Amino acid sequence: MGTVDVCIGNNLIIDFDIFSLWIDGFTIEQCKTEIVKKDLSVRNCKETIIFRDIMDNYHNFNRLEQYLQIPCRLREQLMFQVSEEMIEKLVQCYYQYNPYVMREILNHKLTHKQRKDLDDIADKTETRVRSCRRQFDNLRQIIRILDDLKGPILRNIEEYFCLPRSLAEDYTAIVFLARNQFDLSKRKLSYLVLDDFIYCVNQMISNWPMSNSFEHDSDFNRDFLLSFKELKILSEKEFIDEHKRLVLHGMAKVLNNNMTKDCRCLILFDELFKDLSRSLIDIAYSLNHSKDMKDLFFDLFERFIEPCKDVKLIKNEVTIFLDEYRKKAHLVPDISKEYPKFSHTFDKYFTTISNCIIQMYH
Amino acid sequence: MPGKIKIGILKARNLPIMDRSSESSDAFVEVRFGNDNYYKTPVYKKSLDPEWNSRFFFEVEEDEIQEEPLQIRVLDHDTYSSHDAIGKVYIDLKPLLNPNGPTALNGFFPIFDTLHGIRGDIKVQARLEILSDCNEYRKSSSGVQFFTSSRIPEGYVLQNFCGFVEEMVLNDDPEYQWIDKIRAPRASNEARQKLFTKLSGEVQRRIGLKVLDIEANCVLGYQQYFDLEGEFGIVVRGIGTAANIIRQAGNSKSQLFPEISKHSKISPNRLTKKISSESDLNHQNLINKQENQNGHSISEKMEYPFLTLQQYPSGFIKSVCGIVCSRSVKLLNSNNEFDDLESRDKWWIEIRNEIRSHMKSLDCHVVLGYTETKSICEDVCVLSATGTAALFNEAFFANPLKRIDENSSEKCSICHVPYDETELPFPVALSKCAVCGQGQVPDVIFTSIQPLPEIETIGRGSLIKAIVSRPRKKSSGEISAKMISDYMPFMEYELHRQLLGKLKIKGMNMLYGLKVQISIGENLLMGIAEATACFAAPLPKPILPKIINDKMNREFKDIESLKKLLIDEMQRNIDFYGLEFKLSSSTIEQTDSENDSKALLKIELDDYREKENIYQLMDSAAKKNILACSTEYMPGIEFNSNLQMFTSIYRCEAKLVQMNIKKFNEIFDYILEGLNYKFRKYKNYVLANLSTDTSLFDDDHAMIILTGSCLTYGESNIDIKNNVEITNLSYVPNARIERYLGLVNLFLIRESTQIKENGGLSGFMHCFITEVLALVRAHVLSLDGNALVSFKMTECVLLDNPHRNQGQCLINVTGDAVRIVK
């Protein structure tokens, strides 16, 4: 090997096998081992030659990284000649995240301190520290750039980071989780994977109106959240019993195929109904406090999912219950007299929340 | 004549953060042109994407535009201390002077800083308004177009060649001035960049004046060299061919140079063509004689009938004879009565005169593919000049109809020797031409030009490389010069012997694009020759090198096994390159005594080392399956698309004294193998136009730069999407050059004191070359071009100081900016 040993071309030709290994934080030496393992055709090449080729690629990637951090600049820079398809592919690879790592990163605040402590996450998820750091930095970079931009997050991510739709949507959810500092770190929530949260957040984003103020478009409309306060009437004495009756009645109709099992289910819900209903309404009631918003997932788990799980209700039964619960709420007599917009508000709240619960129920 | 440059400094993007606290910059721009013109934009506060939209103009002289670059400097405003430099942009306005060239220049230019590299881009516009000049005592020479491509530009018709033009300027190198001791590195680098750019402009301006003097309108095959003589200064040399060309009306058939003739089926027994009648022949000879004399008279009009082009329109060359070369070793600090520039001028004149006399002794009247090179080590330098002696058709310019005529006549005549069999200029084995059976041909022809489509070749071509290295004692001054000059003939002989041996074993008989480079190190001398070999139909089949065992003390078996080895290797080559002839017993067993005496290659085995030499003549296993050539075209292969131009840089640290030919060969094999690995995904590719540049530093490291293009053939067109195609070829495969936009000539220096942090010297070089290419692309784009042809890295010097974690690199690149249509 020479002290200088490089090969530079006019067109950027990228070996995406090497690129993905680089992204995963492999050192040149590790990358070589991996390539030799993977590609049978290179077996009879000299190792130094493979090494040198990887090194050339790594030099390119290291220079390319500054543009990958602000991908829209890839289009205007003159250092590398990259086609539009290549930009898409590069960016998509670079912003790909490992859901387990991202899940861990979201457990804490995105601070400088956490960046230093990524070793733990790396150990836990069996990923390279460098890869964790890239995922961490990517997220932080996206949030930082979004802070300066106006308009909907999704559009900004798509435009500014040149990400494909699906990845941009995932990032929108992740940014949302991170910005609102949802508490995902509770031990009881550890069984949930990132996709569960992304699903839940996307439910909220698509169903609940956002704040109109420009600085923080990841806040929900405050008035909207305050309107949930009105749902409290559903847990008032005069309505709750009627609601319970309707729900159980409805469930019995839907269930009726396996007698013993259904009976058990109905009995259990009969017992739990008041607690569960009160919990769901309480959660709605408190969403306008940002602290309670942060604990949303934990509250859902502790106050709804856990009690159901304790009595070994299966997902299907919970689904039926939630469905009936939502439908029958409209039929509770006199409730719209007390609060005229009840149906509308309740649906807004409950469709989203019940979807979340079903997703989290596993 | 006065003119006006209208300049617009519009905006910048992606500037670096100069103020940590606000994470932005307060940028402004200073624009300078020459000594008197200065403009400063207002400060654009707190932004990394400032917009100035300043428009202004400078009043300038025409000759200033030829020499001075437009200097743009971007700075960060600082209220309390001095402003911080962000970077600079030098823009050459010469292309705007060309009446056929672009009228304005517009685009983003990377802001380059010698210590930090590229830091953002700045959008600049420039437009030139000039009054035409009819003063005969003028200093400017605008309107003369320069082409670095060593061919007639596509879309132009050659009217005539007017002669060889050269110019040279000498200056102190700012790096070696006393002021450099107290100057900051950035200032020193910038002073050098500025000076070198200016000097090369001056050389061009002066050449332009000469060109106008001999009533030509352009310079073709322009070659520019920077001789860094250290404390003795810097010499900028330019050579080229003055000519008159006109744009062809209509773009329909602009292909002046016909495609390389396709692989043609010819039976091994090629003597099938009809022999013309005796009287006809006599007549033809008569005409030839006359033309020869005519040629003499014309070429005598030119002081030096040297042409720097490597490709000529068909019908121009009548006969190629062979390589002429001249070298001379000089001491830089010789205190003679002349001043430095004058003495250097004298050196080159000596050399040119020698070349001219060589040419005459070969009965030729023109030298084609002419180049001049200089290798320097401390105070000793070796000047070399080479070219291909040839005859050209005088009728070519006189009668345009004749051209067509010439095309249809016997194409093999180019290979026929121009001299009589009875008065050979040197001992040479002549035989009857294998195509027409009339003319006399030598058994091999070496040339420095690109493959001639007129000469029929069989099979594919191959790269041939010869290396000679020899340790020398450390010495300086007179002694050192003498030692080098004593060794020079041996080196030349050894290179030639290797080339010939390899050529024979390849089963080929012609060399194109031969290039020899001499490098001098403190204690090592090295010569590298590379060329494209092919099998030319008119020339005789190669004979197997003869192994002569003088002392008879060697085992007979040993000799036999060596012979067998050679035959096997030759057979393999014949098959691999599709040469379509059989190693008949007559080619193997050359017992003919007459032929024996003249056969050009014998291997004499008198000591054991010779055996190794035989192995050296064969390709190493690594090289065997790589198709490569040193020319722009590969005989027998038609290229599809240009995949990639590459620059491979390799530096090895080793005691140079211990470096022998074998080790150097290993390095080259390694580099080639690396390239082969990189392009392994493509099935049919050729590494074309390979060119090696070797420099030896001190006594402990050598740097080898290999440039070339990877081209595909016989595959569906691979469309590589890029903004700017940069290629070291003078054409773009599968595309037509629509317009030549001017010369791009950049001189850049990069320095770093954080070598280790940025991937070592490899990382540093990788980054710098990437930046250089980016700058080249920006210049091409600003002229509304989309490609750069004949890209050449004429200078690349890397100096480092590992203890101080420091490195410095200096690069000069040139090429022709063009607009192509695919």
Side-chain angles (χ1 to χ4, degrees):
Chain A
M1 285 290 290
T3 42
V4 177
D5 187 0
V6 292
C7 181
I8 306 107
N10 176 44
N11 304 321
L12 183 68
I13 296 178
I14 283 181
D15 186 328
F16 276 93
D17 290 339
I18 300 178
F19 186 67
S20 59
L21 290 169
W22 173 75
I23 279 180
D24 290 340
F26 282 67
T27 63
I28 300 179
E29 199 60 49
Q30 293 163 334
C31 177
K32 191 188 78 191
T33 325
E34 207 62 23
I35 289 283
V36 173
K37 227 189 282 171
K38 219 164 127 191
D39 192 347
L40 296 172
S41 65
V42 306
R43 288 258 165 104
N44 36 17
C45 295
K46 281 185 200 146
E47 293 224 332
T48 45
I49 281 173
I50 302 171
F51 187 85
R52 166 192 146 103
D53 181 54
I54 295 171
M55 204 163 81
D56 277 336
N57 273 293
Y58 271 44
H59 283 312
N60 274 333
F61 301 154
N62 289 335
R63 296 289 300 172
L64 205 56
E65 192 161 22
Q66 56 169 319
Y67 299 111
L68 285 170
Q69 282 161 2
I70 311 168
C72 57
R73 285 199 178 163
L74 264 174
R75 292 208 178 98
E76 55 187 38
Q77 54 81 32
L78 297 157
M79 286 288 271
F80 299 100
Q81 304 212 71
V82 277
S83 61
E84 198 59 33
E85 298 101 82
M86 182 107 95
I87 291 178
E88 274 170 27
K89 208 167 163 189
L90 283 172
V91 172
Q92 197 181 342
C93 286
Y94 190 76
Y95 282 90
Q96 209 59 259
Y97 56 85
N98 175 335
Y100 300 105
V101 174
M102 195 52 91
R103 168 84 176 78
E104 293 296 323
I105 289 174
L106 288 171
N107 276 349
H108 307 281
K109 261 178 136 181
L110 298 174
T111 53
H112 198 69
K113 191 177 161 290
Q114 205 213 135
R115 193 175 187 276
K116 281 183 187 158
D117 298 339
L118 286 171
D119 313 36
D120 298 340
I121 296 180
D123 281 346
K124 205 167 160 186
T125 55
E126 292 176 348
T127 325
R128 272 152 235 280
V129 184
R130 273 204 257 181
S131 172
C132 295
R133 195 165 299 148
R134 175 183 59 82
Q135 296 179 39
F136 179 84
D137 287 345
N138 281 347
L139 180 58
R140 222 166 51 152
Q141 173 73 1
I142 291 179
I143 292 175
R144 223 187 63 196
I145 297 284
L146 287 176
D147 280 345
D148 299 338
L149 296 174
K150 296 168 181 175
I153 307 183
L154 181 64
R155 201 191 67 206
N156 283 335
I157 290 181
E158 267 185 310
E159 271 177 21
Y160 217 82
F161 291 91
C162 314
L163 291 174
R165 191 62 186 238
S166 62
L167 194 56
E169 274 171 356
D170 288 353
Y171 265 112
T172 312
I174 293 169
V175 166
F176 189 88
L177 283 167
R179 268 195 181 167
N180 291 304
Q181 294 170 22
F182 279 98
D183 190 350
L184 316 177
S185 61
K186 291 277 194 308
R187 208 179 49 79
K188 282 181 177 169
L189 290 180
S190 63
Y191 77 100
L192 291 168
V193 295
L194 187 67
D195 276 347
D196 297 330
F197 295 117
I198 290 179
Y199 175 85
C200 297
V201 167
N202 277 333
Q203 283 295 317
M204 293 182 220
I205 293 173
S206 48
N207 293 327
W208 293 352
M210 287 296 190
S211 138
N212 288 326
S213 69
F214 283 122
E215 295 106 75
H216 280 287
D217 27 10
S218 43
D219 279 353
F220 292 114
N221 190 325
R222 250 196 102 61
D223 292 341
F224 172 74
L225 292 179
L226 282 171
S227 71
F228 287 166
K229 279 194 156 185
E230 305 295 337
L231 299 180
K232 205 178 165 190
I233 49 168
L234 197 62
S235 49
E236 271 165 26
K237 195 84 183 125
E238 62 238 72
F239 298 117
I240 197 161
D241 289 331
E242 187 55 24
H243 190 204
K244 178 178 169 183
R245 194 186 60 78
L246 287 167
V247 170
L248 289 174
H249 187 70
M251 279 184 78
K253 264 192 199 158
V254 182
L255 282 167
N256 71 16
N257 36 22
N258 183 332
M259 284 313 274
T260 47
K261 239 182 150 189
D262 291 348
C263 278
R264 179 178 166 272
C265 168
L266 285 173
I267 292 163
L268 285 172
F269 274 116
D270 184 48
E271 282 169 14
L272 290 172
F273 188 87
K274 274 189 185 163
D275 281 345
L276 293 179
S277 176
R278 204 160 278 140
S279 303
L280 290 170
I281 300 304
D282 278 355
I283 290 169
Y285 180 83
S286 62
L287 275 182
N288 65 75
H289 299 290
S290 59
K291 186 180 170 308
D292 292 318
M293 181 63 113
K294 281 180 196 169
D295 287 331
L296 174 65
F297 294 108
F298 183 68
D299 289 345
L300 285 177
F301 179 80
E302 205 180 43
R303 303 189 61 181
F304 187 94
I305 297 170
E306 202 175 35
C308 293
K309 276 193 166 176
D310 282 347
V311 294
K312 298 203 169 56
L313 282 164
I314 60 168
K315 190 171 183 167
N316 190 35
E317 294 161 345
V318 175
T319 313
I320 292 168
F321 168 75
L322 289 171
D323 195 40
E324 289 300 317
Y325 186 89
R326 183 180 60 80
K327 279 186 196 156
K328 298 300 184 297
H330 306 298
L331 305 176
V332 176
D334 297 338
I335 197 153
S336 43
K337 270 183 213 155
E338 287 283 316
Y339 177 49
K341 276 157 80 187
F342 174 80
S343 281
H344 175 77
T345 314
F346 181 77
D347 255 6
K348 276 266 175 206
Y349 167 71
F350 204 74
T351 327
T352 309
I353 285 296
S354 67
N355 284 340
C356 292
I357 292 171
I358 294 162
Q359 176 73 26
M360 289 163 71
Y361 201 89
H362 62 81
Chain B
M1 265 284 134
K4 219 192 240 182
I5 329 171
K6 290 186 169 175
I7 301 165
I9 301 291
L10 306 185
K11 57 185 174 184
R13 63 188 184 198
N14 307 340
L15 291 184
I17 292 169
M18 298 300 282
D19 179 5
R20 286 251 152 256
S21 60
S22 66
E23 291 208 330
S24 71
S25 300
D26 305 322
F28 69 100
V29 184
E30 284 181 344
V31 186
R32 276 197 177 82
F33 187 83
N35 295 323
D36 311 324
N37 294 302
Y38 175 78
Y39 179 87
K40 196 170 120 181
T41 67
V43 178
Y44 193 95
K45 290 236 168 219
K46 303 223 179 301
S47 170
L48 297 180
D49 302 285
E51 285 183 34
W52 299 284
N53 287 318
S54 300
R55 285 170 207 274
F56 52 92
F57 64 85
F58 288 158
E59 275 172 358
V60 295
E61 292 293 325
E62 210 178 318
D63 55 315
E64 270 185 306
I65 297 174
Q66 290 194 302
E67 284 187 19
E68 299 281 348
L70 182 67
Q71 295 178 50
I72 295 165
R73 197 163 167 216
V74 187
L75 295 122
D76 176 56
H77 182 83
D78 224 326
T79 321
Y80 302 107
S81 58
S82 61
H83 309 312
D84 296 319
I86 294 177
K88 287 191 92 166
V89 180
Y90 294 90
I91 302 175
D92 180 9
L93 298 174
K94 277 194 284 295
L96 300 182
L97 284 172
N98 174 12
N100 304 319
T103 51
L105 194 140
N106 179 11
F108 276 101
F109 290 87
I111 303 167
F112 181 79
D113 180 60
T114 58
L115 299 181
H116 294 96
I118 290 177
R119 306 164 102 188
D121 313 311
I122 181 166
K123 190 167 170 81
V124 180
Q125 286 177 344
R127 180 179 287 279
L128 196 64
E129 277 173 19
I130 211 140
L131 295 163
S132 65
D133 188 0
C134 27
N135 176 4
E136 67 177 296
Y137 298 108
R138 64 187 190 167
K139 280 192 282 177
S140 95
S141 58
S142 70
V144 175
Q145 237 177 314
F146 281 73
F147 298 91
T148 58
S149 301
S150 54
R151 61 183 292 205
I152 311 295
E154 242 173 87
Y156 286 85
V157 178
L158 173 71
Q159 290 192 300
N160 61 342
F161 286 123
C162 303
F164 172 73
V165 282
E166 47 75 36
E167 192 55 73
M168 178 158 68
V169 291
L170 175 79
N171 206 304
D172 282 341
D173 190 339
E175 184 100 337
Y176 295 89
Q177 284 165 344
W178 67 269
I179 193 169
D180 202 57
K181 295 200 170 74
I182 53 166
R183 189 159 50 179
R186 180 183 276 126
S188 167
N189 291 339
E190 282 175 4
R192 273 181 113 188
Q193 283 190 158
K194 201 170 95 188
L195 176 76
F196 289 10
T197 312
K198 216 174 137 174
L199 290 180
S200 80
E202 193 185 331
V203 168
Q204 276 187 48
R205 180 179 64 83
R206 292 222 218 142
I207 286 183
L209 284 175
K210 287 187 176 174
V211 168
L212 291 176
D213 245 17
I214 50 176
E215 288 173 346
N217 69 1
C218 71
V219 179
L220 303 175
Y222 181 64
Q223 299 167 15
Q224 174 188 271
Y225 301 97
F226 287 89
D227 302 330
L228 303 169
E229 297 180 351
E231 53 187 301
F232 305 107
I234 152 97
V235 175
V236 184
R237 286 183 291 126
I239 60 170
T241 307
N244 275 305
I245 53 170
I246 45 164
R247 256 189 102 87
Q248 211 169 30
N251 283 325
S252 54
K253 273 185 82 179
S254 58
Q255 194 79 25
L256 270 175
F257 194 80
E259 291 297 316
I260 293 291
S261 56
K262 275 190 189 164
H263 181 98
S264 57
K265 286 275 175 198
I266 281 203
S267 62
N269 177 13
R270 273 167 286 117
L271 285 170
T272 47
K273 299 216 170 163
K274 290 269 184 297
I275 293 170
S276 47
S277 69
E278 193 72 10
S279 61
D280 229 25
L281 191 76
N282 280 342
H283 181 62
Q284 215 177 351
N285 278 347
L286 205 71
I287 293 172
N288 281 354
K289 276 251 166 65
Q290 276 173 355
E291 276 173 3
N292 271 3
Q293 277 155 13
N294 247 341
H296 269 284
S297 68
I298 280 291
S299 65
E300 255 146 36
K301 265 193 235 157
M302 304 180 191
E303 192 187 1
Y304 297 106
F306 302 162
L307 302 178
T308 52
L309 304 190
Q310 292 190 332
Q311 290 174 47
Y312 296 87
S314 97
F316 174 77
I317 302 172
K318 194 162 123 198
S319 172
V320 286
C321 193
I323 291 277
V324 282
C325 168
S326 165
R327 294 188 205 285
S328 127
V329 183
K330 297 285 179 196
L331 271 179
L332 290 174
N333 61 349
S334 55
N335 293 319
N336 45 25
E337 63 267 42
F338 308 113
D339 75 17
D340 292 337
L341 188 64
E342 224 171 304
S343 65
R344 280 170 182 75
D345 248 339
K346 276 219 148 46
W347 295 346
W348 286 111
I349 288 169
E350 269 171 37
I351 294 226
R352 287 176 198 136
N353 286 339
E354 202 178 322
I355 290 276
R356 192 172 50 189
S357 67
H358 284 330
M359 172 195 87
K360 280 182 179 157
S361 70
L362 287 171
D363 272 351
C364 290
H365 51 234
V366 68
V367 175
L368 310 175
Y370 179 75
T371 54
E372 290 178 349
T373 52
K374 188 171 178 182
S375 342
I376 305 160
C377 177
E378 288 177 359
D379 56 349
V380 185
C381 66
V382 177
L383 315 179
S384 323
T386 16
T388 309
L391 294 172
F392 72 94
N393 275 318
E394 196 53 44
F396 179 76
F397 297 117
N399 184 1
L401 285 175
K402 177 86 175 158
R403 291 186 201 178
I404 303 153
D405 212 44
E406 206 62 43
N407 278 342
S408 58
S409 79
E410 295 286 8
K411 286 176 173 176
C412 61
S413 63
I414 290 185
C415 294
H416 299 171
V417 289
Y419 35 81
D420 219 12
E421 203 176 350
T422 48
E423 8 176 328
L424 297 175
F426 52 87
V428 56
L430 292 182
S431 53
K432 288 264 185 236
C433 170
V435 173
C436 66
Q438 295 169 8
Q440 297 282 338
V441 290
D443 60 350
V444 289
I445 298 182
F446 286 11
T447 70
S448 62
I449 53 176
Q450 296 292 322
L452 292 166
E454 289 95 331
I455 299 179
E456 193 170 1
T457 56
I458 294 172
R460 293 181 292 195
S462 163
L463 178 75
I464 278 197
K465 183 172 242 130
I467 303 174
V468 174
S469 79
R470 182 200 153 114
R472 69 174 177 118
K473 277 206 195 96
K474 250 187 203 177
S475 54
S476 61
E478 205 86 40
I479 310 157
S480 158
K482 186 167 182 319
M483 213 150 49
I484 294 170
S485 114
D486 283 347
Y487 183 58
M488 218 42 88
F490 295 99
M491 185 133 127
E492 206 87 49
Y493 173 80
E494 175 63 20
L495 281 174
H496 190 79
R497 196 190 66 86
Q498 277 188 35
L499 284 176
L500 201 59
K502 288 188 176 181
L503 186 67
K504 297 259 172 188
I505 291 172
K506 280 256 153 78
M508 299 176 184
N509 53 21
M510 183 139 188
L511 285 187
Y512 284 117
L514 176 66
K515 192 186 128 198
V516 179
Q517 197 202 9
I518 307 281
S519 320
I520 336 171
E522 237 173 54
N523 51 13
L524 189 79
L525 267 175
M526 192 176 160
I528 298 181
E530 42 192 355
T532 303
C534 66
F535 182 48
L539 303 187
K541 286 177 228 165
I543 310 161
L544 192 78
K546 225 178 140 49
I547 299 173
I548 295 168
N549 192 7
D550 268 350
K551 296 192 176 151
M552 299 304 280
N553 53 1
R554 194 179 295 273
E555 291 281 324
F556 185 67
K557 238 168 82 187
D558 222 20
I559 300 278
E560 278 306 299
S561 71
L562 275 177
K563 245 186 198 170
K564 174 105 180 36
L565 204 71
L566 281 181
I567 292 170
D568 286 350
E569 174 73 12
M570 204 163 158
Q571 189 58 55
R572 200 200 69 87
N573 282 328
I574 289 169
D575 294 343
F576 183 71
Y577 294 107
L579 305 181
E580 290 186 359
F581 70 84
K582 285 201 185 82
L583 270 177
S584 61
S585 56
S586 68
T587 44
I588 296 170
E589 301 296 329
Q590 277 289 339
T591 44
D592 197 324
S593 63
E594 194 204 339
N595 249 343
D596 207 38
S597 61
K598 283 181 180 173
L600 273 171
L601 190 75
K602 284 178 275 187
I603 299 169
E604 288 180 42
L605 283 177
D606 43 11
D607 77 59
Y608 205 71
R609 257 193 57 228
E610 292 289 331
K611 202 170 150 185
E612 242 173 53
N613 284 352
I614 294 182
Y615 286 110
Q616 232 171 57
L617 294 181
M618 301 180 207
D619 276 341
S620 58
K623 244 192 269 178
K624 269 187 178 139
N625 294 315
I626 302 175
L627 283 177
C629 62
S630 75
T631 45
E632 295 187 11
Y633 299 92
M634 170 79 139
I637 288 177
E638 207 168 317
F639 297 134
N640 253 163
S641 47
N642 187 5
L643 202 61
Q644 175 77 297
M645 178 195 75
F646 53 83
T647 309
S648 246
I649 303 178
Y650 184 90
R651 193 173 106 162
C652 60
E653 317 277 312
K655 285 269 162 275
L656 285 182
V657 194
Q658 293 159 6
M659 293 292 282
N660 51 21
I661 303 175
K662 205 175 144 207
K663 282 201 180 129
F664 276 117
N665 266 322
E666 272 167 17
I667 294 175
F668 285 114
D669 287 351
Y670 166 75
I671 297 174
L672 273 184
E673 249 180 290
L675 290 167
N676 195 28
Y677 177 79
K678 266 189 206 305
F679 300 118
R680 67 189 182 283
K681 284 188 191 132
Y682 305 95
K683 245 194 245 146
N684 300 327
Y685 69 87
V686 178
L687 303 178
N689 212 9
L690 287 179
S691 155
T692 323
D693 183 32
T694 315
S695 26
L696 309 170
F697 295 96
D698 301 335
D699 58 352
D700 58 356
H701 59 272
M703 191 156 94
I704 294 155
I705 303 171
L706 183 78
T707 53
S709 289
C710 177
L711 298 156
T712 58
Y713 65 94
E715 260 182 64
S716 56
N717 215 346
I718 299 166
D719 190 28
I720 290 182
K721 281 184 192 141
N722 54 11
N723 297 325
V724 181
E725 174 102 48
I726 301 180
T727 172
N728 54 3
L729 306 170
S730 62
Y731 64 99
V732 183
N734 256 335
R736 184 169 57 80
I737 297 174
E738 195 181 42
R739 207 160 164 220
Y740 284 81
L741 301 162
L743 208 72
V744 172
N745 178 15
L746 299 177
F747 192 91
L748 298 157
I749 298 176
R750 179 85 155 82
E751 192 169 338
S752 171
T753 48
Q754 289 171 308
I755 294 290
K756 273 186 211 127
E757 293 82 343
N758 294 315
L761 276 178
S762 276
F764 173 68
M765 284 308 285
H766 197 283
C767 171
F768 186 33
I769 305 261
T770 309
E771 284 174 339
V772 169
L773 290 176
L775 283 158
V776 169
R777 284 194 287 265
H779 278 88
V780 171
L781 284 173
S782 75
L783 293 168
D784 194 29
N786 57 5
L788 184 100
V789 294
S790 298
F791 173 83
K792 202 172 163 200
M793 201 178 337
T794 49
E795 202 66 55
C796 177
V797 184
L798 170 67
L799 304 169
D800 74 318
N801 186 342
H803 305 299
R804 289 163 67 185
N805 200 12
Q806 199 180 25
Q808 189 201 39
C809 182
L810 172 155
I811 283 181
N812 173 238
V813 289
T814 58
D816 287 324
V818 295
R819 176 137 206 107
I820 55 167
V821 208
K822 284 200 177 172

